[in-house]
Amino acid sequence: MTGTDARRDAAAQGVRTAAAGAPTVWSRDFGLFFVARAVARLGDTMLPVALAAGLLEHGYGAGAVGLAMASTAAAFAGLVVFGGVVADRFSTRRLMIGADLVRLVTQSLAAALFFTGHVVLWQICAIGVVNGVAGAVFQPGVASTVPRLAPDIQGANGAIRIAESAAQLAGPAVAGVLVGLASPGGVFAAHAATYALSALCLLLLRLRPLPVAARPATGSALRAFRADLVDGWREFRSRAWLWGVIAVWCLYMIAVWGPTVPLVATEVVRNHGPGAYGLVNSALGAGTVVGGLLALRVRPRRMLRAGAFSLFTFFGFPATVGAGLGVPAMAAGAAVAGAGMSFWGVMWATTVQTQVPADVLNRIHAYDVAGSLAMMPVGQALAGPAAASLGAGHVLLAASAVSLAVAAVLLAIPPVRDLARADATASAAP
């Protein structure tokens, strides 16, 4: 049985289960994975607060904070494609547990450094690099784990998106409390504990075995690794809907998301204060929860088409800030944008997980992650010079216009617009 056949059988079973009135998402094993993803996301959103507070407390500036964060992001982005190859060759669960345990050790070490006051920037950056490598090994396995846990893949992705969004809302607040009650070292200790809990949940999982794909004899391990890498690229390139979305998403990251995040933060804090920015950011997070809830119920036959329509809502986030509207309008724009982005995210993840064969899914997901994230630092780096030259408001208004154009371009690409869902859980709507 091929990976596609197995997923179709699982989807059909999910439909039969739904018809019988039983839940199709929640189970012991999905609950464990749900908790693992939620606590990991909670810890990850606590980390920026810990780094900023800890490094500033020990005499470092904003540049050092950025460098520490960039060390993790660069290692992750540079190695996630290779992590996908590794994940397709070995047990994804073991790799994910191992990555969590590595980060448990590194964050415990960081906590010890901050508790003792022995904080050296290069050591914090080295810890960040190791965390990025561990993340690159961990992330590809997420895509192939969801279809093995729940026959209703879209419902599972929607539930996970809700959990991660709620954790993202709570993380900075929890970190702020811990910094106030203990110290930045306390936040790092809590972050380490989230990896311990995630590893425990993954250890207790019982996963259905993946179909074993025949692999040609390729000689040395290095040659086999290279062959898998090339094969993953071939599979990626052969799907026009896949590379078409990633190509468009690179533009989105450069011209929309990349500049929007830092410029919104700068403009809102400068004109309305940090409290207003916290409100706008919370509205964005609340919107992502709503989008996840919507994705649990709406079952479009053409998921990428529906997801592309939802992306039209994002323009309100940079547009309200760029136009200098009041805080309530900016919060409303952020909430609607968050809902649209969240809905798109579930449609996209479900499409990849149901359209791609199981034996190459981790590699394809790695290419997806790498392509999606590669251009974001470029957009962030260009935001400052563009704002200095044109004005932050004009750049944000341009970003809102480009966001509308990106959604229109996605709908104009036939392989994206017309791709029919591969499972059997579509509603009657086209």
Side-chain angles (χ1 to χ4, degrees):
M1 179 181 289
T2 66
T4 303
D5 292 337
R7 283 194 302 277
R8 285 174 178 164
D9 287 348
Q13 178 62 38
V15 172
R16 289 193 292 271
T17 306
T24 59
V25 172
W26 292 103
S27 65
R28 169 194 175 274
D29 292 311
F30 180 73
L32 287 169
F33 189 70
F34 179 89
V35 172
R37 297 305 303 142
V39 297
R41 185 61 179 163
L42 178 68
D44 290 343
T45 56
M46 292 164 59
L47 184 59
V49 177
L51 280 173
L55 290 174
L56 292 173
E57 182 180 287
H58 286 84
Y60 292 99
V65 176
L67 184 61
M69 293 181 181
S71 63
T72 301
F76 176 84
L79 296 175
V80 68
V81 170
F82 302 101
V85 176
V86 173
D88 273 332
R89 279 203 163 259
F90 301 99
S91 165
T92 53
R93 187 178 67 145
R94 291 179 182 175
L95 289 171
M96 293 164 76
I97 292 171
D100 274 342
L101 293 178
V102 167
R103 290 180 289 187
L104 166 62
V105 172
T106 57
Q107 295 308 89
S108 297
L109 177 59
L113 293 176
F114 280 98
F115 275 132
T116 60
H118 182 74
V119 178
V120 181
L121 181 59
W122 75 263
Q123 294 175 343
I124 301 302
C125 290
I127 288 173
V129 169
V130 175
N131 286 339
V133 174
V137 172
F138 183 100
Q139 185 60 38
V142 173
S144 62
T145 300
V146 172
R148 298 167 69 187
L149 290 172
D152 181 5
I153 298 174
Q154 181 181 329
N157 283 318
I160 291 171
R161 179 57 61 100
I162 293 169
E164 292 179 343
S165 299
Q168 187 167 357
L169 277 171
V174 172
V177 170
L178 288 175
V179 168
L181 293 178
S183 71
V187 183
F188 281 98
H191 193 196
T194 64
Y195 288 126
L197 181 54
S198 174
L200 177 61
C201 290
L202 295 173
L203 181 65
L204 296 174
L205 281 183
R206 294 191 297 260
L207 293 175
R208 295 194 304 267
L210 285 170
V212 179
R215 292 183 182 274
T218 51
S220 69
L222 180 60
R223 197 176 306 166
F225 186 90
R226 188 168 57 229
D228 280 353
L229 195 63
V230 171
D231 184 54
W233 173 250
R234 188 183 301 115
E235 292 281 350
F236 176 84
R237 194 177 56 183
S238 69
R239 292 168 171 81
W241 61 267
L242 183 63
W243 60 258
V245 169
I246 297 302
V248 174
W249 212 247
C250 287
L251 170 63
Y252 192 86
M253 285 294 169
I254 292 175
V256 181
W257 187 255
T260 292
V261 173
L263 292 183
V264 164
T266 302
E267 288 300 291
V268 175
V269 171
R270 177 185 296 150
N271 296 321
H272 303 280
Y277 177 66
L279 177 63
V280 171
N281 215 34
S282 295
L284 180 69
T288 63
V289 173
V290 173
L293 289 169
L294 186 64
L296 283 173
R297 302 189 62 84
V298 179
R299 305 281 170 154
R301 189 165 296 143
R302 290 176 173 81
M303 290 188 287
L304 294 185
R305 179 188 295 183
F309 274 115
S310 75
L311 285 177
F312 280 110
T313 64
F314 187 81
F315 87 100
F317 185 32
T320 53
V321 180
L325 302 184
V327 174
M330 291 188 289
V336 174
M341 285 290 290
S342 181
F343 186 82
W344 160 262
V346 174
M347 295 299 106
W348 173 247
T350 305
T351 298
V352 173
Q353 290 163 357
T354 54
Q355 296 280 351
V356 176
D359 58 318
V360 294
L361 180 55
N362 292 317
R363 277 169 283 173
I364 293 296
H365 179 61
Y367 279 114
D368 169 21
V369 172
S372 299
L373 296 179
M375 294 296 108
M376 184 169 68
V378 177
Q380 291 174 329
L382 293 175
S389 173
L390 304 173
H394 289 97
V395 175
L396 286 170
L397 291 173
S400 69
V402 175
S403 73
L404 296 175
V406 163
V409 168
L410 288 174
L411 290 171
I413 301 173
V416 175
R417 182 185 66 238
D418 299 332
L419 182 70
R421 67 186 302 144
D423 59 24
T425 59
S427 64

